[in-house]
Amino acid sequence: MSNIKPSLAKGTRDFSPLEMIRRNYIFDTIKSVFKKYGYAEIQTPAMENLQTLTGKYGDEGDKLIFKILNSGDFLKEPKKKEFDFNAPENSNQLTPLISEKALRYDLTVPFARYVVMHQNEIALPFKRFQVQPVWRADRPQRGRYREFYQCDADVVGSDSLLNEAEFACIYHEALQKLGLRDFTIKLNNRKILSGIAELIGKPELIVDMTVAIDKLDKIGLDGVSKELVERGFTSADLEILKPVILLEGNNAEKLNSLSQVLAHSETGLKGIDELKRVLDYVEALNPGLTATMLQLDITLARGLNYYTGCIFEVKTNEVAMGSIGGGGRYDDLTGMFGLKGLTGVGISFGADRIYDVLEELGLFPETAMAGTRVLLTNFDAAAEAFALPLLSRLRDAGIAAELYPAAAKLKKQFSYADAKGIPYVVIVGGEELESGKPALKNMATGEQESLTIDLLIERLQ
RNA sequence: GUGGUUUUAGCUCAGUCGGUUAGAGCGCCUGAUUGUGGUUCAGGAGGUCGUGGGUUCGAGCCCCAUAUUCCACCCCA
């Protein structure tokens, strides 16, 4: 058997002990906020039936789903042998023949599947959170991985805009707790975007319109105009769009201008009303948030095509990074699984991007690795026999302790303690066996003293 | 999916015009110190130069293919 050079699959990463401490710090912080707002945790499988996932994320999204090859001799059946591999563009036809499972692409669609399957057990409104990895066959780059964790909170079965308002508060509270100070929670409403498309008389081009104006801060008005024309809008359309895109002022002022522009669009007005009520709720829950971090942004579109109402996106202003969170309301996600009339709204934190941001800003707390507190040295069989009961007593006292597993040179054992950052070493050798008093050495100060076992344990607590 | 970029010791990186035995720092191992880490000193090990082809008397260096890294698009957390 030839030796394979060890390597990671593209876009995936190992997490070492320090990284895990930091990652868990992020997960725990976000989870604690979710719990405080009444959300309960669930988990779903890493893989779903391919059918469950396809068609939910748009054409681009479908391409990014990792499919799992069927097991066994999956081309055995005669029907499959007739497949024409030479036909053009035939991958789409081949996929269902050789794959029926896929890795989940996000946590929202599996959650919708979960709600439908468990509808008889859950009480509505159902508030759940979920922290698990998702997979996307994207090309990796900064802040973009093929395997990454999402921290989702969703509520289904409640159309109250209080939910939206609370999500804004959750974003604020969790990110604040993680040490981020300058970030923006952007808020928009799909109904407003629909209203604008109606106004122009091209409701069928809403997706093209949103994709284009979403890029305003990136490519500017000229770039957006150019793209809109490419996507089928006329210069007359642009004249209508321009003042909407360039809307300025605070949230209330923007809403005022919009209600004039959209005065004849029922959908648009509904969107405006929804945003107003969300902002009022937030103002009552967290006064001041609406004036600073929560910003109405008409150009916010978001790609996922199942959103129908409010949409969120969170960006940090401290480092250059894509969005660190997003979400929105979807009125009929469970409808695709046969459960009609159930509305849902949810948000997601991108834990891996938050990690990169915290690292770049040096915001991880300095809490040392909660590793071993004391190492017992190992001289020989007699010393080991003496050390074993002491080891148990230390652990019973709740002290993380380990005995060096072989009678190696002391130099090696001390180097091990040093490399692992263990703050104390207990030396048990001939002298200590005679006196019955092990020596406790403080690795930071170099001080060393002989202590009775009781005193030693007391000292380490 | 499109365009560019990276890959040389465990890690971070030098390597001139294509020319003899591919280097440095850090880390690692050994000893100074057979009961003491982190500091110091002395010595040592460690390389199919991402992989596969090609050009050449000769390739780490040039050409082709492929993988990988990072970046910009597309899109997104």
Side-chain angles (χ1 to χ4, degrees), chain A residues 154-334:
Chain A
D154 290 77
V155 48
V156 291
S158 164
D159 58 10
S160 167
L161 293 161
L162 175 60
N163 298 304
E164 274 88 337
E166 286 199 344
F167 283 134
C169 297
I170 288 175
Y171 269 136
H172 177 255
E173 186 167 338
L175 296 176
Q176 189 91 13
K177 267 191 177 175
L178 288 169
L180 294 179
R181 288 293 168 266
D182 186 10
F183 54 89
T184 305
I185 305 167
K186 292 185 180 179
L187 183 64
N188 195 9
N189 194 302
R190 262 281 155 87
K191 294 190 175 83
I192 289 182
L193 296 169
S194 300
I196 295 170
E198 266 175 38
L199 195 69
I200 296 173
K202 293 184 176 164
E204 74 283 359
L205 285 183
I206 178 171
V207 173
D208 291 277
M209 183 189 84
T210 53
V211 168
I213 66 176
D214 190 44
K215 295 176 186 168
L216 180 65
D217 55 347
K218 214 169 181 177
I219 58 179
L221 182 63
D222 291 345
V224 171
S225 304
K226 200 178 151 206
E227 184 153 345
L228 283 169
V229 170
E230 281 167 13
R231 289 173 181 267
F233 289 86
T234 64
S235 46
D237 298 338
L238 292 186
E239 285 311 306
I240 302 174
L241 269 174
K242 212 165 135 187
V244 180
I245 297 173
L246 296 176
L247 209 57
E248 290 203 348
N250 62 31
N251 293 338
E253 288 163 358
K254 285 180 185 170
L255 284 175
N256 268 333
S257 320
L258 269 179
S259 53
Q260 286 165 26
V261 175
L262 293 174
H264 301 294
S265 165
E266 196 183 325
T267 312
L269 289 176
K270 191 152 191 299
I272 291 169
D273 181 54
E274 287 183 8
L275 285 178
K276 270 184 187 156
R277 284 159 60 196
V278 170
L279 292 174
D280 286 346
Y281 270 128
V282 173
E283 189 61 30
L285 287 168
N286 189 342
L289 188 60
T290 49
T292 54
M293 289 170 166
L294 186 60
Q295 285 178 13
L296 192 61
D297 183 353
I298 295 307
T299 67
L300 171 62
R302 297 195 51 75
L304 293 178
N305 56 8
Y306 48 65
Y307 291 127
T308 52
C310 285
I311 33 185
F312 297 101
E313 184 161 288
V314 185
K315 294 195 90 165
T316 169
N317 303 317
E318 295 175 274
V319 296
M321 175 68 69
S323 63
I324 55 176
R329 180 171 288 273
Y330 38 90
D331 276 338
D332 199 29
L333 195 60
T334 58

Side-chain angles (χ1 to χ4, degrees), chain A residues 10-11 64 66 105 135-140 144-146:
Chain A
K10 188 199 279 250
L64 299 180
F66 272 110
Y105 177 91
W135 293 268
R136 294 184 188 177
D138 231 348
R139 189 174 288 208
R144 174 176 297 185
Y145 307 100
R146 287 185 151 186

Side-chain angles (χ1 to χ4, degrees), chain A residues 401-453:
Chain A
E402 59 183 302
L403 170 66
Y404 198 84
K409 287 183 180 173
L410 267 198
K411 180 183 170 70
K412 195 172 176 74
Q413 302 190 35
F414 271 89
S415 296
Y416 172 78
D418 193 53
K420 212 171 156 181
I422 299 174
Y424 292 96
V425 173
V426 167
I427 300 126
V428 190
E431 295 166 23
E432 289 78 13
L433 284 184
E434 266 178 46
S435 66
K437 287 183 175 176
L440 177 68
K441 174 161 177 167
N442 180 323
M443 293 294 279
T445 63
E447 283 165 24
Q448 187 170 323
E449 55 182 334
S450 293
L451 298 168
T452 64
I453 288 177

Side-chain angles (χ1 to χ4, degrees), chain A residues 24-203:
Chain A
N24 283 329
Y25 159 72
I26 294 174
F27 294 143
D28 292 344
T29 303
I30 294 172
K31 283 180 177 181
S32 72
V33 177
F34 285 163
K35 285 177 192 165
K36 222 168 77 177
Y37 280 76
Y39 289 79
E41 181 163 21
I42 70 160
Q43 291 204 334
T44 62
M47 68 179 88
E48 292 278 350
N49 290 323
L50 183 55
Q51 237 186 327
T52 303
L53 303 182
T54 43
K56 310 295 190 298
Y57 310 107
D59 291 342
E60 287 296 322
D62 281 359
K63 286 181 197 157
L64 299 180
I65 295 172
F66 272 110
K67 284 114 189 157
I68 297 171
L69 208 53
N70 287 348
S71 316
D73 190 1
F74 51 78
L75 284 179
K76 190 171 57 184
E77 295 162 41
K79 231 195 272 177
K80 296 182 180 177
K81 286 199 163 156
E82 286 167 19
F83 187 78
D84 180 5
F85 283 91
N86 295 318
E89 310 246 328
N90 59 2
S91 303
N92 289 344
Q93 282 83 51
L94 181 61
T95 303
L97 296 182
I98 63 175
S99 169
E100 51 200 28
K101 294 177 293 299
L103 295 174
R104 62 165 168 257
Y105 177 91
D106 72 355
L107 299 178
T108 307
V109 168
F111 173 56
R113 196 260 313 139
Y114 174 96
V115 168
V116 176
M117 288 185 67
H118 297 264
Q119 53 185 291
N120 294 327
E121 310 155 26
I122 59 182
L124 297 179
F126 181 53
K127 301 169 78 169
R128 86 86 174 78
F129 75 87
Q130 190 170 352
V131 176
Q132 288 191 274
V134 302
W135 293 268
R136 294 184 188 177
D138 231 348
R139 189 174 288 208
Q141 55 180 274
R142 174 181 162 83
R144 174 176 297 185
Y145 307 100
R146 287 185 151 186
E147 177 185 62
F148 63 97
Y149 274 69
Q150 287 191 328
C151 311
D152 271 35
D154 290 77
V155 48
V156 291
S158 164
D159 58 10
S160 167
L161 293 161
L162 175 60
N163 298 304
E164 274 88 337
E166 286 199 344
F167 283 134
C169 297
I170 288 175
Y171 269 136
H172 177 255
E173 186 167 338
L175 296 176
Q176 189 91 13
K177 267 191 177 175
L178 288 169
L180 294 179
R181 288 293 168 266
D182 186 10
F183 54 89
T184 305
I185 305 167
K186 292 185 180 179
L187 183 64
N188 195 9
N189 194 302
R190 262 281 155 87
K191 294 190 175 83
I192 289 182
L193 296 169
S194 300
I196 295 170
E198 266 175 38
L199 195 69
I200 296 173
K202 293 184 176 164

